[in-house]
Amino acid sequence: MDLKRIRNSSLHTKIMSAEEACNFIEDGMTIGMSGFTRAGEAKEVPRALAEKAKVSPLKINLITGASLGNDLDKLLTEAGALARRMPFQVDNTLRKAINKGEVMFIDQHLSETVESMRNNQLDKPDVAIIEAVAITEEGHIVPTTSIGNSASFAMFADKVIVEINMLHSDKLEGMHDIYIPEARPNRTPVPILNVDDRVGAQAIAIDPSKIVGIVFTNKSDSFSTVSDPDEETDQIAKHLVKFFEKEVEEKRLPENLGPLQAGIGNIANAVMMGLLDSKFTGLSMYSEVLQDSTFDLIDAGKLDFASGCSIILSERVNAQVFDNLDKYRDKLVLRPQEMSNLPEIVRRLGIIAINTALEFDIYGNVNSTHVCGTKMMNGIGGSGDFARNANISVFVTKSIAKGGAISSVVPMVSHVDHCEHDVDILVTDQGLADLRGLAPRERAVQVINNCVHEDYREALLDYFERACERGGHTPHLLEEAFSWHTRLESEGSMKKA
Amino acid sequence: MDLKRIRNSSLHTKIMSAEEACNFIEDGMTIGMSGFTRAGEAKEVPRALAEKAKVSPLKINLITGASLGNDLDKLLTEAGALARRMPFQVDNTLRKAINKGEVMFIDQHLSETVESMRNNQLDKPDVAIIEAVAITEEGHIVPTTSIGNSASFAMFADKVIVEINMLHSDKLEGMHDIYIPEARPNRTPVPILNVDDRVGAQAIAIDPSKIVGIVFTNKSDSFSTVSDPDEETDQIAKHLVKFFEKEVEEKRLPENLGPLQAGIGNIANAVMMGLLDSKFTGLSMYSEVLQDSTFDLIDAGKLDFASGCSIILSERVNAQVFDNLDKYRDKLVLRPQEMSNLPEIVRRLGIIAINTALEFDIYGNVNSTHVCGTKMMNGIGGSGDFARNANISVFVTKSIAKGGAISSVVPMVSHVDHCEHDVDILVTDQGLADLRGLAPRERAVQVINNCVHEDYREALLDYFERACERGGHTPHLLEEAFSWHTRLESEGSMKKA
Ligand SMILES: CC(C)(COP(=O)(O)OP(=O)(O)OC[C@H]1O[C@@H](n2cnc3c(N)ncnc32)[C@H](O)[C@@H]1OP(=O)(O)O)[C@@H](O)C(=O)NCCC(=O)NCCS
Ligand SMILES: CC(C)(COP(=O)(O)OP(=O)(O)OC[C@H]1O[C@@H](n2cnc3c(N)ncnc32)[C@H](O)[C@@H]1OP(=O)(O)O)[C@@H](O)C(=O)NCCC(=O)NCCS
């Protein structure tokens, strides 16, 4: 505990234990929590809440930025404390509960959650729980490694609990840029014109009298579990770098490509790593989550500036960054997810969006969320915010999954997160399909020739040819469209025996 | 012919016949034409081109704002003159050619076509053909009843052909507001903050030396063929008005609802007509196409201002409007479709978007384009530009089609144009489902209870219940998901025999 972290001394009386803070949380409440892609979540109060729920059952409606670290979604699920959860998650225990219909999960475009609250279409939080580096003289809250929806949650809630995390460097102060759009009908354009523009405040401005509890912690963020690039992700990166080179050569992209966004997970991170070996310099990011690759690219002198909404790093890179924050100070900004993902800015800046598909189909529709059309993996996250408004919308995936039992390129996706209009470029380890300006039948030829794994190519071509015989702008054989998925479910593989 | 309509007299030498103007058009060229929802299209040159193509075959890549009137798409299709067509159409002959795979149709979000050209991702037009009321002293082009993509086409093309339409009132001059976003990376926010803001020019500013031909015409726009409201559309309107009343009462919407957008076609027009009998006043529109309902609402003193990109009227309303343009002058503005549909503005203004579905499913996914997943009806149009960024995104449809052989509410849509994240409210003649803040299983209950026709309710509930037994966040029985569609195809009805 370090009282210097609470610079508004009138708030010193609000220091309490996590268990005491839990008393502000009642059954049926909506709770808004910090945390985005397992970074910057409040750690003590939700853990204490899970313990409490085990003995005196209670259910809350939990809304965060995105996913939580430190197994909090797991603990809360196991304690039966989650009635409703939005807008994103990545936890295996919670995922199972969602897929059993035990927790109502509302999967949302990440830029939209607080917008819906502002317009009274979603309940505002009764209590906000926000992890902070410090509280300022004015009683404003300085976030930690993510902003997510924290600022709006704290503004909307009647009661705010702050968790001061002593493990986070106080040098994080000054790295945030907190801009909140006006309520309609008097909203003005968001004045961000460049990735490095600072247009807001360094701390979350709320009336300090709303702060009802302050809890101290020493727990670290969870380390990211991204796997190292492998042969397939190297291939994906190679295809994409080659494509970028051609785009620059043909003057469709500037030398520095324009701002990049890269999605969460192993593949997007590995693809960004691929830029390390490219000739591109002067790169910038306007993205949601900043992963290892961002900092490796900065260190290599390739990336000049990164705007994001959270930082999630592996153990290797974590020390490299947080022990040397001064080095990155003028190369980084963290924004609320409403700003990092805002369609207005994505379109204005001309972002290249690189997100990951679970599967895509011959016409370029993308499924990022539902295994076999039904089971939720994580959620759509910010991929839709970026893909629709991007200058170039890229989706990447390995051509096969589960040792080849699954083809990630299918006749028809079993769930659509991104319709063909929002998908320009598809890349697998097999190759790249450039779908821009093509009609569906032409798109199919590109996808079949370039993206599908050889084990599935013939069957996919056969499907397409037979569908074309039947006709239509987007030829399909509806009675067979999901046969690959049903075969997987019944026989354990999409391959014909 | 009236030379006063060409106020830059150096251009008088460019007057020629449509046949002569056709000589600028060569096989393989990309042609950008005015015209949006059958309003304001160039009429003489495309007709002459179709004639010419019959004798000396030629194929072009035709890009417009949206659909064309005066049967031009039909004539060009019959003449075999269309290799490629984008971004929208509504013609029956062209539709058949598209569905046979004879014309490559690229169905696009209507705000994106010229953006893709600006970024060199789509070919820029070799020749632009633009219908005009007049040419100004500076040689700038004053559009007629639509702007569509005309301004950008004329700016991008090397050669511009202007069709002066003497039948359009010259009082249209001054009703347009032509704003073109800067090229990236130096783009600034679009300064539209209110539906009636004027931020651009009254005419399309191009170098007049690019005008290679001027053709005169007296042909009128095609009249709209919207049908009158019927019992089902009245019911849809009633449900929606009741919903709006409740939203206002509960302070989720302002008294005047905020700006409205309404899609093309019979149903959206009829639904807007329903507002005539409501208590709402002080309404405004920020929409794409302005149909009969817009002007009936203005005449009734209910609608204060309408921003659109084209005006398409039935014979009844056409005279009422164009013979009295002065009356509407300060209540109307026409913008390029890039501006009428821009996500940035849709989100800033907080638009209520009302678009029409062909079918939707129990989870709220919407198909607006593909009959039985394969056959193109019209195209996605601007519905995606609006739905994703709207304050409230409404989709309407009749609960059944083709005399009951088709249920518009199905287990799984056979094509996804709007994923569940972009759909807030669904309305049929049966009732209204409010899906905001609900998880998929909860959405299904709303849809089944409120929207589906009684002939199909039991079967839909049965599907949902059996799917839930199998589990998943979004329960489905993939092997049965399209059984209603395949039954329709094989037995002529979705109903079980
Ligand atoms: C799609 C997504 C799950 C991929 O994650 P990833 O870490 O890059 O990719 P991986 O290859 O490790 O795949 C993750 C899992 O999905 C499985 N998988 C991949 N394709 C699959 C398919 N078609 N069907 C079923 N499972 C599949 C993999 O086998 C792996 O399973 P495992 O965890 O049991 O090993 C992830 O990117 C995601 O959730 N995206 C949606 C949200 C989003 O795009 N946010 C970005 C905005 S910033
Ligand atoms: C969906 C759309 C076709 C509906 O048009 P509409 O004129 O309002 O509706 P109608 O009820 O007259 O339906 C049009 C036709 O579709 C048929 N139809 C309706 N539902 C159907 C279904 N589920 N399956 C097959 N056909 C269906 C109708 O029977 C009718 O056929 P007909 O022309 O042979 O009589 C039209 O709104 C559209 O093209 N929308 C997509 C583009 C868009 O939304 N643009 C708006 C942005 S501004």
Side-chain angles (χ1 to χ4, degrees):
Chain A
M1 195 187 330
D2 180 352
L3 287 182
K4 274 193 282 183
R5 294 274 189 121
I6 308 176
R7 305 204 295 265
N8 179 314
S9 54
S10 76
L11 290 170
H12 290 176
T13 57
K14 299 296 166 73
I15 297 169
M16 59 182 68
S17 69
E19 289 70 26
E20 287 170 305
C22 278
N23 292 330
F24 295 108
I25 301 169
E26 292 166 27
D27 185 48
M29 275 187 169
T30 295
I31 308 297
M33 260 178 29
S34 66
F36 194 103
T37 51
R38 312 198 308 140
E41 78 282 345
K43 295 167 179 70
E44 300 294 340
V45 182
R47 180 177 295 266
L49 187 70
E51 285 303 320
K52 181 177 167 177
K54 281 192 215 162
V55 286
S56 37
L58 119 177
K59 280 199 186 288
I60 61 167
N61 176 12
L62 178 60
I63 314 184
T64 54
S67 52
L68 301 176
N70 282 295
D71 281 341
L72 292 174
D73 268 324
K74 175 174 184 283
L75 298 174
L76 288 164
T77 304
E78 285 171 349
L82 297 182
R84 308 175 73 72
R85 182 79 177 85
M86 66 178 80
F88 189 76
Q89 62 77 41
V90 297
D91 180 80
N92 204 31
T93 304
L94 173 54
R95 184 181 291 140
K96 281 192 187 129
I98 289 168
N99 286 321
K100 279 193 201 149
E102 292 166 355
V103 175
M104 290 295 104
F105 178 55
I106 298 93
D107 167 29
Q108 292 186 308
H109 296 305
L110 294 188
S111 76
E112 295 187 354
T113 307
V114 295
E115 180 78 273
S116 300
M117 286 185 181
R118 191 176 295 124
N119 301 315
N120 299 310
Q121 304 194 39
L122 276 183
D123 287 344
K124 295 192 166 87
D126 298 295
V127 178
I129 314 176
I130 312 294
E131 188 183 73
V133 168
I135 296 178
T136 67
E137 291 74 5
E138 301 83 5
H140 297 175
I141 302 166
V142 182
T144 62
T145 45
S146 72
I147 302 187
N149 288 320
S150 300
S152 291
F153 287 168
M155 289 169 184
F156 293 148
D158 293 330
K159 295 180 181 165
V160 178
I161 298 169
V162 178
E163 282 197 13
I164 306 275
N165 189 328
M166 295 302 300
L167 209 77
H168 285 306
S169 163
D170 54 7
K171 291 193 177 157
L172 278 167
E173 190 166 347
M175 291 201 150
H176 308 95
D177 184 58
I178 298 168
Y179 177 92
I180 305 289
E182 298 93 347
R184 299 168 183 141
N186 300 313
R187 190 170 298 174
T188 56
V190 176
I192 297 173
L193 307 186
N194 300 289
V195 292
D196 56 352
D197 281 349
R198 291 178 159 274
V199 299
Q202 298 192 1
I204 300 169
I206 55 161
D207 174 355
S209 71
K210 294 207 299 181
I211 299 180
V212 294
I214 299 175
V215 175
F216 275 83
T217 183
N218 271 306
K219 288 208 177 69
S220 78
D221 281 350
S222 299
F223 294 123
S224 129
T225 53
V226 288
S227 49
D228 287 331
D230 58 27
E231 210 175 306
E232 284 139 309
T233 59
D234 281 348
Q235 283 302 320
I236 295 173
K238 251 179 61 184
H239 296 308
L240 196 56
V241 166
K242 203 173 126 197
F243 166 76
F244 287 151
E245 285 168 357
K246 188 162 143 267
E247 289 297 294
V248 171
E249 206 180 294
E250 296 181 2
K251 308 241 179 287
R252 281 192 292 270
L253 283 179
E255 299 272 342
N256 70 354
L257 304 181
L260 302 169
Q261 176 261 340
I264 56 156
N266 296 321
I267 301 181
N269 185 59
V271 167
M272 290 299 287
M273 288 287 194
L275 286 171
L276 272 176
D277 304 325
S278 76
K279 56 159 207 190
F280 294 110
T281 57
L283 297 172
S284 64
M285 288 185 81
Y286 195 89
S287 199
E288 196 182 85
V289 47
L290 306 180
Q291 302 193 83
D292 284 7
S293 48
T294 301
F295 296 90
D296 285 343
L297 284 165
I298 291 179
D299 289 349
K302 303 225 155 224
L303 184 71
D304 290 348
F305 196 90
S307 165
C309 132
S310 93
I311 302 177
I312 165 89
L313 302 173
S314 69
E315 196 163 359
R316 167 181 72 86
V317 182
N318 197 65
Q320 161 194 333
V321 170
F322 290 109
D323 295 350
N324 298 287
L325 260 186
D326 282 336
K327 185 171 140 193
Y328 299 101
R329 176 165 293 279
D330 58 349
K331 295 188 163 60
L332 274 189
V333 65
L334 292 181
R335 307 182 191 275
Q337 68 199 72
E338 196 178 8
M339 288 299 118
S340 61
N341 290 24
L342 195 72
E344 169 175 341
I345 303 172
V346 176
R347 184 124 168 198
R348 181 181 304 145
L349 298 183
I351 285 171
I352 298 180
I354 306 167
N355 290 288
T356 310
L358 276 180
E359 60 177 10
F360 57 79
D361 68 26
I362 50 175
Y363 299 115
N365 300 287
V366 167
N367 173 10
S368 301
T369 55
H370 284 71
V371 174
C372 283
T374 61
K375 287 201 207 68
M376 172 55 62
M377 176 69 88
N378 301 325
I380 194 167
S383 54
D385 291 322
F386 287 100
R388 175 152 307 169
N389 294 287
N391 179 18
I392 302 182
S393 166
V394 181
F395 281 89
V396 294
T397 185
K398 296 182 179 183
S399 61
I400 49 173
K402 307 294 175 200
I406 294 177
S407 171
S408 301
V409 191
V410 292
M412 182 190 257
V413 284
S414 55
H415 177 90
V416 177
D417 292 295
H418 308 288
C419 67
E420 53 138 339
H421 312 289
D422 298 337
V423 179
D424 296 318
I425 305 291
L426 290 169
V427 200
T428 68
D429 40 283
Q430 302 294 312
L432 180 146
D434 182 350
L435 307 180
R436 294 174 297 175
L438 299 186
R441 289 169 191 239
E442 298 169 315
R443 295 166 77 96
V445 172
Q446 289 301 315
V447 168
I448 295 169
N449 284 346
N450 295 302
C451 297
V452 64
H453 190 276
E454 57 181 351
D455 289 357
Y456 290 97
R457 188 169 296 138
E458 209 175 308
L460 201 60
L461 182 62
D462 175 61
Y463 175 88
F464 174 58
E465 286 176 345
R466 285 183 298 119
C468 283
E469 276 166 34
R470 209 179 280 177
H473 175 60
T474 303
H476 268 301
L477 308 168
L478 284 192
E479 72 282 6
E480 252 186 65
F482 295 144
S483 59
W484 294 27
H485 298 87
T486 53
R487 194 177 306 124
L488 174 67
E489 288 185 325
S490 62
E491 295 169 30
S493 171
M494 287 185 173
K495 281 187 197 141
K496 268 202 184 124
Chain B
M1 193 185 335
D2 180 352
L3 286 182
K4 276 194 282 190
R5 293 274 189 121
I6 308 176
R7 304 204 296 266
N8 180 315
S9 54
S10 76
L11 290 171
H12 290 177
T13 56
K14 300 295 165 75
I15 297 169
M16 59 182 66
S17 69
E19 289 68 26
E20 286 170 308
C22 278
N23 292 331
F24 294 108
I25 301 170
E26 293 167 25
D27 186 47
M29 274 187 171
T30 294
I31 308 298
M33 261 181 24
S34 66
F36 193 102
T37 52
R38 313 198 308 139
E41 79 281 347
K43 296 168 177 69
E44 300 295 341
V45 181
R47 181 175 296 265
L49 188 69
E51 286 304 319
K52 180 174 167 180
K54 283 192 216 161
V55 287
S56 37
L58 116 178
K59 280 200 184 289
I60 61 167
N61 175 12
L62 178 60
I63 314 184
T64 54
S67 53
L68 301 176
N70 283 296
D71 281 341
L72 292 174
D73 267 325
K74 175 174 184 283
L75 298 174
L76 288 164
T77 303
E78 286 171 351
L82 297 182
R84 309 174 72 71
R85 181 77 177 87
M86 66 177 82
F88 190 76
Q89 63 78 40
V90 298
D91 180 79
N92 204 32
T93 304
L94 173 55
R95 184 180 292 142
K96 282 190 187 129
I98 289 168
N99 285 322
K100 278 194 202 147
E102 292 166 357
V103 175
M104 291 295 104
F105 177 55
I106 298 92
D107 168 27
Q108 291 187 311
H109 297 304
L110 295 188
S111 76
E112 295 188 355
T113 307
V114 295
E115 180 78 273
S116 301
M117 285 183 181
R118 190 176 297 125
N119 301 317
N120 298 311
Q121 304 193 38
L122 276 183
D123 285 345
K124 295 192 167 86
D126 298 297
V127 178
I129 314 176
I130 313 293
E131 187 182 74
V133 168
I135 296 176
T136 67
E137 291 74 5
E138 300 84 5
H140 297 175
I141 302 166
V142 182
T144 62
T145 46
S146 72
I147 301 186
N149 287 321
S150 299
S152 291
F153 287 168
M155 290 171 182
F156 293 147
D158 293 329
K159 294 180 181 165
V160 178
I161 299 168
V162 178
E163 282 197 14
I164 306 275
N165 189 327
M166 295 302 299
L167 208 76
H168 285 306
S169 162
D170 55 8
K171 290 192 177 156
L172 279 168
E173 190 166 346
M175 293 201 148
H176 309 95
D177 184 59
I178 299 168
Y179 178 92
I180 305 289
E182 300 93 347
R184 298 166 184 144
N186 299 314
R187 190 172 298 175
T188 56
V190 176
I192 297 174
L193 308 186
N194 299 289
V195 292
D196 56 352
D197 281 350
R198 291 178 158 275
V199 300
Q202 297 190 3
I204 301 169
I206 56 162
D207 174 355
S209 71
K210 293 207 300 183
I211 299 179
V212 294
I214 299 175
V215 176
F216 275 83
T217 182
N218 271 307
K219 288 209 177 70
S220 79
D221 280 350
S222 299
F223 294 123
S224 129
T225 53
V226 288
S227 50
D228 288 331
D230 57 28
E231 210 175 305
E232 284 139 309
T233 59
D234 281 348
Q235 284 301 320
I236 295 173
K238 252 179 60 183
H239 297 308
L240 196 56
V241 167
K242 204 173 123 197
F243 165 77
F244 288 151
E245 286 169 356
K246 191 164 140 264
E247 290 296 295
V248 171
E249 207 180 292
E250 297 182 359
K251 308 241 179 287
R252 282 192 291 270
L253 282 180
E255 298 272 343
N256 71 354
L257 304 181
L260 301 168
Q261 175 262 341
I264 58 155
N266 295 321
I267 302 183
N269 186 57
V271 167
M272 289 299 286
M273 288 288 194
L275 286 171
L276 271 175
D277 304 324
S278 76
K279 57 159 207 188
F280 295 110
T281 57
L283 298 171
S284 65
M285 289 185 80
Y286 195 91
S287 201
E288 195 182 87
V289 47
L290 306 179
Q291 302 194 82
D292 284 7
S293 48
T294 301
F295 297 90
D296 286 343
L297 284 165
I298 291 178
D299 289 351
K302 302 223 156 229
L303 183 71
D304 292 347
F305 196 90
S307 165
C309 132
S310 91
I311 303 177
I312 166 88
L313 302 172
S314 68
E315 196 161 0
R316 168 180 73 86
V317 182
N318 197 65
Q320 160 194 332
V321 170
F322 290 109
D323 294 351
N324 299 287
L325 260 186
D326 282 336
K327 186 172 139 193
Y328 299 102
R329 176 165 293 278
D330 57 351
K331 296 188 163 59
L332 274 189
V333 65
L334 293 180
R335 308 181 190 274
Q337 68 200 72
E338 195 178 9
M339 289 299 118
S340 62
N341 291 24
L342 195 70
E344 170 176 342
I345 304 173
V346 176
R347 184 126 169 195
R348 182 182 302 145
L349 297 183
I351 285 171
I352 298 180
I354 307 168
N355 291 288
T356 309
L358 276 180
E359 61 177 10
F360 57 80
D361 68 26
I362 49 174
Y363 299 114
N365 299 288
V366 167
N367 173 9
S368 301
T369 55
H370 283 69
V371 174
C372 283
T374 60
K375 286 201 207 69
M376 173 54 62
M377 176 69 88
N378 300 325
I380 194 167
S383 54
D385 290 323
F386 287 100
R388 175 152 306 169
N389 293 287
N391 180 16
I392 302 183
S393 166
V394 180
F395 281 88
V396 295
T397 184
K398 296 182 180 183
S399 60
I400 49 174
K402 308 292 175 202
I406 294 177
S407 171
S408 302
V409 190
V410 291
M412 182 189 256
V413 286
S414 55
H415 178 90
V416 177
D417 291 295
H418 308 288
C419 67
E420 52 137 341
H421 312 289
D422 297 337
V423 180
D424 296 318
I425 306 289
L426 289 170
V427 200
T428 68
D429 40 283
Q430 301 294 313
L432 180 147
D434 182 350
L435 307 180
R436 294 173 296 175
L438 299 185
R441 287 169 191 240
E442 300 169 313
R443 295 167 77 97
V445 172
Q446 290 301 314
V447 168
I448 295 170
N449 285 345
N450 296 302
C451 297
V452 64
H453 190 276
E454 56 181 353
D455 289 359
Y456 291 96
R457 189 170 296 139
E458 210 174 308
L460 202 60
L461 183 61
D462 174 61
Y463 176 87
F464 174 58
E465 286 176 346
R466 286 184 295 119
C468 283
E469 276 167 35
R470 207 179 281 177
H473 175 60
T474 303
H476 267 302
L477 307 166
L478 284 192
E479 72 282 8
E480 254 186 62
F482 295 144
S483 60
W484 295 27
H485 299 87
T486 52
R487 194 176 307 124
L488 174 67
E489 289 185 325
S490 62
E491 295 168 29
S493 171
M494 286 185 173
K495 281 188 197 138
K496 268 200 184 125

